[in-house]
């Protein structure tokens, strides 16, 4: 084994995070719990968000991210002690099946009533993860959940981030919960927030704005969102689409395929990487300092690649029929 010291790790530097992207400070346990409106509350660890309704008949929890974990019950205990209501979680609603939003579900035992889309049940049964028991109550299109005189309207508008991701509207609390679509104040993480259906994802922001609400619970990072956050997200995505359209029409594929000859995939890689870079760079320049992490190139690059591929494959952009 060499006794030579390891070379110093050199990490890239990025633009400061805009103050508008940051949420409130966390407490000594590593979470923050705040009131959305009346008896609807939100919880964050700075990276993930959950929400709950504190009713006279029990607490209805919306998502159970494992990074928040046991702090979910601590947040419930804190709020219900102050409100003078029961701290027992009686219902748990899944926004979708992904483990990063549902992986603490098992902490609430076998007696809690779990609710989700019918595809959430199908996917959780497939995944067979004891941390995420499948919901017993499911729906195909919509369900009104009423507990302790409070209600949440659950609606499925089709696949977007995942095949089962739902809209959760709180009509009596002026709020909408829609997870993994808009990260208020931030760009999407890799590949359009790791989305499985790009057209559905892109359309979801407009669908969200069709609902009446003031407070947005997006599932990620440290603060609630506003309608202005959704509109800013839409502009970012629209600018990527427009820039990708321009790049698809202007980047010449010939040099890549001539250079790599029989190695067809190398030619494809070279061409698509060039289109992605040409499309992403103007967007990075425009949104650095506006949306947090816009200048983290891998994020805007992979989101641009995902959108550009959807434009090609789902919308037919740049498709040419051989004469």
């Amino acid at each position: 084994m060499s006794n030579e010291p390891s070379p110093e790790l050199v990490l890239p530097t990025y633009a400061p995070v805009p103050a508008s992207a940051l949420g409130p400070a966390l407490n000594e346990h590593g979470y923050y719990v705040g009131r959305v409106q009346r008896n609807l509350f939100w919880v964050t660890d700075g990276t993930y968000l959950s929400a709950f309704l504190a009713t006279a008949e029990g607490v209805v929890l919306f998502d159970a991210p494992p990074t928040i974990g046991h702090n979910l019950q601590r947040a419930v205990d804190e709020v219900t002690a102050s409100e003078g209501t029961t701290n027992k979680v009686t219902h748990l609603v899944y926004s979708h099946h992904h483990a990063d939003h549902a992986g603490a579900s098992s902490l609430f035992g076998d007696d809690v009533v779990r609710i989700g889309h019918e595809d959430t049940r199908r996917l959780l049964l497939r995944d067979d993860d004891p941390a995420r028991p499948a919901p017993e109550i499911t729906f195909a299109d919509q369900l009104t959940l009423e507990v302790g005189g409070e209600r949440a309207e659950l609606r499925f508008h089709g696949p977007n981030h995942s095949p089962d991701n739902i809209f959760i509207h709180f009509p009596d609390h002026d709020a909408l919960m829609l997870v993994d679509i808009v990260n208020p104040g931030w760009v999407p993480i890799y590949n359009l927030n790791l989305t499985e259906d790009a057209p559905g994802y892109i359309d979801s922001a407009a669908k969200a704005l069709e609902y009446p609400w003031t407070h947005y619970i997006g599932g990620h990072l440290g603060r609630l969102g506003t309608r202005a956050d959704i509109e800013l997200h839409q502009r970012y995505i629209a600018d990527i689409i427009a820039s990708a359209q321009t790049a698809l029409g202007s980047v010449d594929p010939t040099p890549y395929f001539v250079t790599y000859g029989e190695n067809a995939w190398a030619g494809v890689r070279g061409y698509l990487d060039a289109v992605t870079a040409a499309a992403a760079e103007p967007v990075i320049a425009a949104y650095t300092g506006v949306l947090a992490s816009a200048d983290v190139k891998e994020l805007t690059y992979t989101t641009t690649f995902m959108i550009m591929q959807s434009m090609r494959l789902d919308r037919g952009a740049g498709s040419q029929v051989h004469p």
Side-chain angles (χ1 to χ4, degrees):
M1 180 180 294
S2 172
N3 291 322
E4 293 292 325
S6 299
E8 184 178 353
L9 180 64
V10 178
L11 297 176
T13 58
Y14 298 111
V17 173
S20 60
L22 300 175
L26 307 181
N27 65 18
E28 67 275 14
H29 295 294
Y31 72 88
Y32 171 86
V33 59
R35 190 186 305 271
V36 179
Q37 192 176 101
R38 295 198 304 108
N39 59 332
L40 176 64
F41 298 87
W42 66 290
V43 187
T44 185
D45 62 355
T47 303
Y48 283 84
L49 270 73
S50 177
F52 62 90
L53 277 168
T55 84
E57 296 179 8
V59 173
V60 184
L61 181 64
F62 298 86
D63 275 356
T67 64
I68 305 179
H70 288 278
N71 277 339
L72 290 168
Q73 187 64 60
R74 292 187 183 100
V76 167
D77 292 346
E78 177 184 336
V79 164
T80 55
S82 175
E83 298 289 301
T85 56
T86 176
N87 68 345
K88 181 173 177 55
V89 176
T90 57
H91 296 74
L92 195 162
V93 176
Y94 291 124
S95 67
H96 63 303
H97 74 287
H98 285 164
D100 63 329
H101 292 277
S105 174
S106 62
L107 297 181
F108 298 94
D110 296 331
D111 293 335
V112 67
V113 177
R114 293 177 172 85
I115 302 150
H117 188 261
E118 61 186 16
D119 277 341
T120 300
R121 177 174 173 81
R122 174 181 64 82
L123 291 164
L124 288 179
L125 290 174
R126 176 202 68 181
D127 295 344
D128 194 25
D129 179 2
R132 294 174 289 155
E136 302 89 358
I137 297 176
T138 65
F139 64 97
D141 297 318
Q142 57 187 356
L143 173 70
T144 299
L145 175 64
E146 297 187 19
V147 178
E150 304 295 347
R151 61 180 174 141
E153 302 283 352
L154 315 181
R155 184 76 182 268
F156 180 64
H157 288 288
N160 47 68
H161 163 71
S162 70
D164 58 326
N165 200 32
I166 63 172
F167 291 63
I168 304 169
H169 185 221
F170 302 93
D172 304 320
H173 299 81
D174 201 17
L176 179 74
M177 183 171 183
L178 176 60
V179 171
D180 281 337
I181 301 297
V182 178
N183 306 326
W186 297 73
V187 299
I189 194 68
Y190 293 99
N191 297 321
L192 205 64
N193 268 356
L194 304 177
T195 282
E196 298 182 50
D197 189 301
Y201 173 96
I202 292 168
D203 291 345
S204 288
K207 287 187 173 68
L209 290 173
E210 292 174 2
Y211 285 83
W213 55 268
T214 300
H215 312 288
Y216 180 81
I217 305 165
H220 274 290
L221 300 160
R223 68 168 175 86
L224 295 177
T226 66
R227 300 184 79 86
D229 287 314
I230 309 298
E231 292 162 355
L232 177 57
H233 167 87
Q234 286 182 301
R235 292 196 295 273
Y236 171 79
I237 297 297
D239 285 350
I240 290 176
I241 292 171
S243 190
Q245 186 72 55
T246 298
L248 283 168
S250 62
V251 175
D252 182 6
T254 306
Y256 306 99
F257 291 98
V258 169
T259 297
Y260 294 112
E262 293 179 345
N263 193 343
W265 281 159
V268 169
R269 179 260 186 190
Y271 169 61
L272 293 181
D273 282 0
V275 172
T276 300
E281 285 297 335
V283 178
I284 290 172
Y287 285 89
T288 295
V290 178
L291 285 173
S293 291
D295 62 319
V296 181
K297 286 191 173 184
E298 293 81 2
L299 304 188
T300 297
Y301 267 55
T302 58
T303 283
T304 300
F305 180 83
M306 185 84 172
I307 289 175
M308 181 263 292
Q309 289 295 77
S310 176
M311 291 169 63
R312 291 179 59 247
L313 303 177
D314 298 319
R315 307 297 191 190
S319 180
Q320 299 178 9
V321 176
H322 190 279

